[in-house]
Amino acid sequence: MKELLKFEDINISYDKKQVLYDLSFSMGEGEILGIVGNSGCGKSTLLKSILGLSGPKVLSGKILFENKDLLSLSTNEMRSIRGCRISMVFQESGIHTNPLKTIGDTVFESMKAHKQISKDDALNTALNIFENLSLPDPKRILNAYPFELSGGMNQRVGIALAMLNNPSLILADEPTSALDPIVAVQIVNELKSLREKYNTAIILVTHNIKIAKSITDNILVLNNGKTLDYGNAKEVLSSPKSDFTKELILSTLG
């Protein structure tokens, strides 16, 4: 498996307070990596550092993506990667889209920001992705506004929108936490479909060990900004090294 993303001894601070310490891991193309831990442990900070978003400050280390050090790239170079080679699925996708625009309008704006494309071609690309991910009545979805869709459907649409520019990596930040268990299973199945149909790699941030167990190849367990366990998901969950991971497993899996 070809290496896609690698963190090398990353240290990150917020407002001069260090929040991530000596973080190192790597993932290959098409891999699903779970980042697990309690609230405030640094999971979302990790994702923001990959995208180069404002807030976290990387103190030292390297973030290598497709053999490029993201920390050395210019603003314009990062803009060409963000939303194109690396896409994001938010916790509640519906509130991250413009409520005054249809899903189709959002599709067109997202794609034309990275390439010259007609609206018809953009909508056809979206229809193909919606159909591949088994979204019901995709033409109706394209003509709908976010508030006309359920929370679960907005989340499924958010996953499809993240695929518009055929990224090699998707960052999914707690994509199931605001959903009921049945819909959460649907979202997990959508993420699995991305890997199966597009060979898309995924970093799944979650506090839910059950979700991580059902989908991930490897798991990284964080607590207070430090790595406590990391490796093959089945091995980490069956033989965790840290007491924190053992307690996390017991509290969620019983």
Side-chain angles (χ1 to χ4, degrees):
M1 184 185 296
K2 185 177 179 181
E3 187 176 86
L4 177 68
L5 178 73
K6 186 176 184 179
F7 270 50
E8 292 184 353
D9 300 316
I10 286 292
N11 290 275
I12 297 177
S13 68
Y14 262 113
D15 296 325
K16 299 182 180 180
K17 178 183 178 182
Q18 190 162 351
V19 292
L20 283 174
Y21 300 83
D22 301 318
L23 185 61
S24 294
F25 67 86
S26 63
M27 62 184 299
E29 294 179 344
E31 178 183 330
I32 301 180
L33 171 67
I35 308 292
V36 180
N38 54 10
S39 297
C41 70
K43 303 188 298 295
S44 295
T45 298
L46 187 157
L47 298 188
K48 289 180 179 179
S49 69
I50 296 172
L51 291 171
L53 300 180
S54 60
K57 180 181 179 182
V58 180
L59 303 173
S60 61
K62 292 183 179 181
I63 301 176
L64 302 173
F65 173 72
E66 295 181 337
N67 297 318
K68 295 179 181 178
D69 184 0
L70 297 181
L71 303 178
S72 68
L73 300 184
S74 67
T75 300
N76 285 337
E77 288 172 325
M78 275 304 301
R79 189 177 294 119
S80 69
I81 290 174
R82 192 187 302 121
C84 188
R85 303 303 301 141
I86 305 174
S87 289
M88 184 87 175
V89 176
F90 296 94
Q91 181 174 337
E92 295 182 73
S93 293
I95 66 174
H96 291 278
T97 52
N98 190 328
L100 302 179
K101 294 183 181 295
T102 65
I103 301 300
D105 288 336
T106 298
V107 163
F108 180 46
E109 287 188 357
S110 297
M111 297 195 73
K112 75 175 183 178
H114 293 281
K115 64 181 78 173
Q116 287 189 331
I117 190 169
S118 69
K119 188 169 186 178
D120 285 343
D121 286 344
L123 296 182
N124 285 333
T125 296
L127 281 173
N128 184 55
I129 293 170
F130 286 8
E131 290 169 355
N132 278 340
L133 294 179
S134 301
L135 268 67
D137 200 355
K139 289 185 178 179
R140 181 188 70 84
I141 292 173
L142 286 175
N143 290 318
Y145 292 89
F147 62 83
E148 295 179 311
L149 304 176
S150 67
M153 183 55 68
N154 266 312
Q155 201 67 346
R156 295 177 71 188
V157 168
I159 292 171
L161 293 179
M163 286 301 301
L164 289 175
N165 293 301
N166 193 27
S168 55
L169 175 63
I170 282 183
L171 311 178
D173 191 6
E174 300 275 11
T176 64
S177 64
L179 306 173
D180 67 57
I182 293 176
V183 178
V185 170
Q186 293 176 339
I187 299 304
V188 169
N189 288 336
E190 301 288 0
L191 293 173
K192 287 180 179 178
S193 293
L194 293 185
R195 194 250 295 272
E196 293 168 2
K197 295 178 179 179
Y198 299 97
N199 195 38
T200 307
I202 301 167
I203 295 182
L204 173 67
V205 164
T206 182
H207 64 276
N208 190 320
I209 290 288
K210 288 183 179 179
I211 294 292
K213 182 181 180 181
S214 71
I215 188 175
T216 60
D217 301 302
N218 292 297
I219 285 182
L220 174 69
V221 181
L222 287 175
N223 187 38
N224 294 324
K226 297 179 181 179
T227 301
L228 298 188
D229 279 281
Y230 169 58
N232 177 271
K234 291 181 179 179
E235 293 177 5
V236 168
L237 296 178
S238 62
S239 303
K241 296 177 181 179
S242 73
D243 290 336
F244 174 81
T245 305
K246 292 175 184 176
E247 292 172 3
L248 199 62
I249 294 169
L250 288 172
S251 67
T252 54
L253 298 181

